[in-house]
Amino acid sequence: MRIVRSRDMGFCFGVRRAVDMMKEAATEGREVTTLGMVVHNPQVVQQLEKVGIYNNEHRTTEGVATDTVAITAHGVGEDMIDEIKREGHQVIDTTCQFVVRSQRAAKHLAEAGFTVIIFGDPEHPEVKGVMGWTKGRGIVVPSEDLEGLPPVLPSKVGVISQTTHTPERFARFVGNLMTARIDQITDLRVVNVLCNATTSQQAATRDLASEVDLMIVVGGHNSANTRHLAELSRANGVTTYHVETAAELEDAWFDGFETIGVTAGASTPDFSIDEVVRRIEAIGHIN
């Protein structure tokens, strides 16, 4: 078997920055509680817990016992920032720069009187956080077919996307919105807040999927951007498996395949990718 790694995969700038900020706090001897997972990768979270960086999975300050609170790369709503300050916690803000851009866009649109439509997963922490900047004027719509969109819209509508969506999906969403509701909308503003790093990884995955017989996508099962990479690969007609760790790989998956592609989401650390590659190499040697 031949293994080909994607030209662009693994930790993006925003994730690496968040993890580095947590590690720096740990070297200073500070104990920190993060409001949710720093990044959507359990292995990274486990590593940080060993050095005093604890995860509050409820993403609230309730029960927080540390002096320092960290805002994750996914960001939080404006009210949560005010709450952290009121309670007197020191703050480490690791919000990704693209998420910050999305938050600002949501806030500016809402202040200008627009209803803000967010194309994204309503349960994703990034989307929940961005909703917290819409001043109650936000609507989350999870799919391109506009399911969940109210039957009647205000005349002024602003549209943004979860930063990890593909450009193709966002374009389809906007096109469907225009086709279905152009009679209701007199002022439409579309703000592109898609993450450049994620878009680059998606393009690299698409290219690699066209060159290999089998794709392995490495990353947290709860990582949206990793799931999107697997979706892109499958859309290319390539047999694709999404794994979080090397232990999930099964020997039978590789029977009859010669060229194996490996890619990874933006929250996947290098050590996880390397472990998966070593395991594939071992399987190939055995076969």
Side-chain angles (χ1 to χ4, degrees):
M1 286 192 308
R2 183 169 68 95
I3 301 170
V4 183
R5 297 190 188 215
S6 176
R7 68 174 184 270
D8 190 351
M9 63 177 175
F11 272 3
C12 65
F13 168 80
V15 168
R16 195 173 299 279
R17 171 178 171 270
V19 172
D20 286 347
M21 289 174 73
M22 294 296 93
K23 289 181 177 178
E24 182 179 351
T27 60
E28 295 171 353
R30 299 163 69 183
E31 288 193 336
V32 180
T33 300
T34 67
L35 302 185
M37 300 173 73
V38 176
V39 294
H40 278 160
N41 186 280
Q43 289 70 45
V44 173
V45 172
Q46 290 167 10
Q47 278 195 341
L48 292 174
E49 285 180 348
K50 293 177 181 178
V51 294
I53 310 297
Y54 306 109
N55 169 38
N56 182 342
E57 61 183 16
H58 302 296
R59 297 182 63 82
T60 70
T61 57
E62 185 178 350
V64 171
T66 59
D67 292 332
T68 303
V69 168
I71 297 170
T72 73
H74 302 108
V76 295
E78 192 172 19
D79 290 346
M80 178 58 70
I81 293 176
D82 293 340
E83 180 181 327
I84 295 170
K85 292 178 179 178
R86 282 198 306 270
E87 294 186 5
H89 293 287
Q90 298 179 48
V91 180
I92 300 175
D93 188 352
T94 75
T95 307
C96 169
Q97 61 183 359
F98 289 100
V99 176
V100 170
R101 187 173 66 179
S102 181
Q103 293 171 345
R104 289 174 178 168
K107 181 177 181 178
H108 292 161
L109 286 167
E111 288 177 343
F114 286 79
T115 293
V116 183
I117 296 177
I118 305 169
F119 171 47
D121 177 359
E123 297 304 315
H124 194 281
E126 175 198 315
V127 175
K128 288 182 175 180
V130 173
M131 274 289 286
W133 292 84
T134 64
K135 301 183 181 300
R137 304 179 66 94
I139 301 170
V140 180
V141 181
S143 62
E144 293 100 319
D145 63 9
L146 308 183
E147 181 181 355
L149 191 68
V152 179
L153 291 177
S155 60
K156 297 178 65 174
V157 173
V159 184
I160 59 178
S161 172
Q162 186 172 331
T163 60
T164 54
H165 270 321
T166 64
E168 294 82 3
R169 289 191 67 191
F170 186 43
R172 283 197 298 271
F173 177 81
V174 175
N176 289 343
L177 178 66
M178 287 291 291
T179 300
R181 301 300 179 87
I182 190 61
D183 60 326
Q184 298 178 4
I185 302 171
T186 58
D187 193 349
L188 175 68
R189 295 190 187 179
V190 178
V191 184
N192 180 6
V193 296
L194 295 175
C195 169
N196 291 344
T198 301
T199 302
S200 176
Q201 288 190 351
Q202 291 166 353
T205 295
R206 187 182 295 108
D207 291 344
L208 181 58
S210 68
E211 302 170 1
V212 301
D213 306 315
L214 174 72
M215 281 284 285
I216 302 296
V217 181
V218 188
H221 290 300
N222 60 342
S223 165
N225 70 82
T226 305
R227 291 198 303 271
H228 289 157
L229 293 183
E231 291 167 2
L232 279 172
S233 179
R234 294 188 183 106
N236 240 46
V238 180
T239 300
T240 302
Y241 296 101
H242 174 185
V243 301
E244 194 168 282
T245 67
E248 297 175 31
L249 296 169
E250 298 182 19
D251 294 12
W253 292 353
F254 301 89
D255 290 345
F257 294 108
E258 295 183 359
T259 307
I260 314 301
V262 176
T263 190
S267 56
T268 308
D270 293 342
F271 70 81
S272 289
I273 300 169
D274 292 340
E275 287 174 358
V276 165
V277 170
R278 285 195 294 270
R279 174 61 182 146
I280 297 172
E281 289 173 340
I283 292 171
H285 179 71
I286 293 170
N287 292 345

